[in-house]
């Protein structure tokens, strides 16, 4: 019995530590993901493998551990501790309670299926609770996403800055060609871009821009900038980079259009993230079933787990 209890504590520790480690990594990873700053596959791969490892430990633990106290305490801590990484607000507290409750339910489903299933079928046993497990994981990661995007403007959520900058680099040449202007580097300021436009316009009218005094050219650029700002209700600073000026004005306009409903946008974005993330966990679902079966065979081979025959009494209803 002491030997069995020690093994249960080992499995409990592995389940808790793998679950919290995966959650902590995703807590650090999600803000980077929301900002669109992912530039290497290694980070994504590590995050995915940590989720897979946590799911495997959870599956093995809920199948093998018989002590209900150890199982429910470990599962509750594994579900609850990741919410300590974020502020305790109403959406977080609701998600916290739901995660603890339903992860216990998922563990109970797997354990019950293991007890009542004749023989040992890993796929059948794990499928009883694994979908709910990945739903809770998706909820936890979605809360991290919600906390990360809530302070952002609408355009920050829909189109992160790196993606916008990449779009500017791709579109700057065709736009300037359409306007008959010289190519503009995205790093140029608003006044640099307007200077190129004014110079191009003067050349079309047969006026040599180099012959115009610098002070007069500066006034012309300022006049164009002020007219644009007044005509389109923009905030333009000549020293601001062109992509930053465009991005800031799009964000301000989007927030103004949304008005009082802007505060609900992070909830909608988090819901969409949850549904997307839940769909992406489907391959992990099947990988967990496969690898868990292999892990259990290894545990049997090294005699960490032993096989024994049990007689199960099943209650049925008859007429």
């Amino acid at each position: 019995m002491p030997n069995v209890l020690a093994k249960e504590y080992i499995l409990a520790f592995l389940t808790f530590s793998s679950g919290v480690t995966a959650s902590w990594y995703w807590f650090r990873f999600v803000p980077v993901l929301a900002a669109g700053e992912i530039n290497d596959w290694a980070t994504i791969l590590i995050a995915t493998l940590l989720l897979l490892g946590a799911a495997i430990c959870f599956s093995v633990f809920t199948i093998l551990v018989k002590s209900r106290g150890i199982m429910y305490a470990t599962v509750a801590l594994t579900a609850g501790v990741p919410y300590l990484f974020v502020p305790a607000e109403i959406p977080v507290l609701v998600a916290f309670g739901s995660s603890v409750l339903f992860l216990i339910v998922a563990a109970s489903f797997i354990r019950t299926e293991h007890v009542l299933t004749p023989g040992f079928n890993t796929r059948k046993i794990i499928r009883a609770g694994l979908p709910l497990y990945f739903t809770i994981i998706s909820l936890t990661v979605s809360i991290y996403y919600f906390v990360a995007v809530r302070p952002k403007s609408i355009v920050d959520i829909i189109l992160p800055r790196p993606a916008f900058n990449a779009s500017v680099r791709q579109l700057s040449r065709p736009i300037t060609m359409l306007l008959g202007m010289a190519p503009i580097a995205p790093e140029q300021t608003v006044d640099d871009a307007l200077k190129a436009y004014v110079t191009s316009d003067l050349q079309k009218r047969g006026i040599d821009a180099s012959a115009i005094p610098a002070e007069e050219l500066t006034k012309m650029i300022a006049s164009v900038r002020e007219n644009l700002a007044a005509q389109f209700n923009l905030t333009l600073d000549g020293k601001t980079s062109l992509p930053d000026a465009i991005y800031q004005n799009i964000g301000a306009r989007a927030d103004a259009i949304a008005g009082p409903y802007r505060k609900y946008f992070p909830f909608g974005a988090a819901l969409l993230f949850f549904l997307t993330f839940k769909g992406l966990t489907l391959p992990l679902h099947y990988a967990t079933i496969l690898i868990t079966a292999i892990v259990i065979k290894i545990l049997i081979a090294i005699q960490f787990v032993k096989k024994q025959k049990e007689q199960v009494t099943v209650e049925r209803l008859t007429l």
Side-chain angles (χ1 to χ4, degrees):
M1 184 65 181
N3 189 37
V4 173
L5 191 61
K7 291 179 180 179
E8 290 188 348
Y9 278 126
I10 291 172
L11 292 175
F13 173 77
L14 290 175
T15 301
F16 172 76
S17 59
S18 63
V20 173
T21 300
S23 298
W24 176 83
Y25 193 89
W26 276 92
F27 168 71
R28 301 293 299 271
F29 174 60
V30 165
V32 181
L33 181 65
E37 297 176 353
I38 301 299
N39 53 17
D40 67 283
W41 287 99
T43 304
I44 299 175
L45 180 61
I46 292 172
T48 304
L49 291 177
L50 286 173
L51 275 186
L52 180 60
I56 293 167
C57 288
F58 175 82
S59 300
V60 173
F61 173 75
T62 50
I63 290 173
L64 298 180
V65 172
K66 293 184 177 181
S67 171
R68 291 183 178 273
I70 294 176
M71 184 178 76
Y72 291 145
T74 302
V75 170
L77 288 171
T78 303
V81 168
Y83 286 91
L84 297 178
F85 303 149
V86 292
E89 301 174 0
I90 292 178
V92 176
L93 293 176
V94 171
F96 165 78
S98 302
S99 296
V100 172
L101 174 62
F102 287 109
L103 202 61
I104 290 175
V105 171
S108 179
F109 283 168
I110 293 175
R111 183 61 194 163
T112 301
E113 189 68 28
H114 172 51
V115 171
L116 298 181
T117 300
F120 185 85
N121 187 323
T122 306
R123 178 175 176 273
K124 187 174 187 297
I125 293 171
I126 296 177
R127 287 187 63 181
L130 200 57
L132 186 54
Y133 171 83
F134 279 115
T135 299
I136 298 305
I137 292 298
S138 301
L139 176 61
T140 304
V141 176
S142 298
I143 286 294
Y144 296 159
Y145 179 80
F146 169 76
V147 172
V149 302
R150 187 178 50 181
K152 297 177 180 288
S153 67
I154 292 176
V155 70
D156 276 326
I157 299 174
I158 297 176
L159 186 65
R161 180 63 67 91
F164 175 80
N165 290 342
S167 301
V168 169
R169 284 193 293 270
Q170 294 297 322
L171 296 176
S172 61
R173 181 171 292 274
I175 290 175
T176 52
M177 290 178 63
L178 182 65
L179 296 175
M181 299 165 52
I184 300 174
E187 294 77 16
Q188 287 181 311
T189 65
V190 171
D191 278 358
D192 289 336
L194 292 178
K195 181 179 180 180
Y197 172 77
V198 170
T199 301
S200 175
D201 186 59
L202 291 173
Q203 288 176 348
K204 288 180 181 178
R205 291 186 287 171
I207 302 174
D208 185 4
S210 61
I212 299 177
E215 184 178 347
E216 184 67 23
L217 188 61
T218 300
K219 290 181 180 180
M220 293 174 65
I221 293 171
S223 176
V224 173
R225 185 177 68 247
E226 291 169 2
N227 289 336
L228 281 173
Q231 183 177 356
F232 298 103
N233 191 23
L234 303 174
T235 301
L236 293 177
D237 183 346
K239 296 181 180 179
T240 304
S241 70
L242 184 60
D244 285 347
I246 297 173
Y247 196 79
Q248 290 166 7
N249 280 281
I250 292 175
R253 185 62 58 86
D255 287 344
I257 293 173
Y261 301 102
R262 182 252 174 272
K263 62 182 180 181
Y264 300 112
F265 200 85
F267 290 95
L271 176 60
L272 182 61
F273 181 89
F274 168 80
L275 296 174
T276 303
F277 191 89
K278 181 66 171 67
L280 293 175
T281 60
L282 187 59
L284 293 180
H285 176 98
Y286 293 106
T288 300
I289 293 174
L290 175 62
I291 299 175
T292 299
I294 296 172
V295 169
I296 289 177
K297 288 183 181 297
I298 294 173
L299 293 177
I300 294 173
I302 64 175
Q303 297 183 346
F304 186 88
V305 176
K306 61 182 179 180
K307 291 183 179 181
Q308 68 178 26
K309 293 183 179 180
E310 294 182 352
Q311 186 174 1
V312 179
T313 302
V314 179
E315 182 179 354
R316 304 217 183 261
L317 297 178
T318 59
L319 291 176

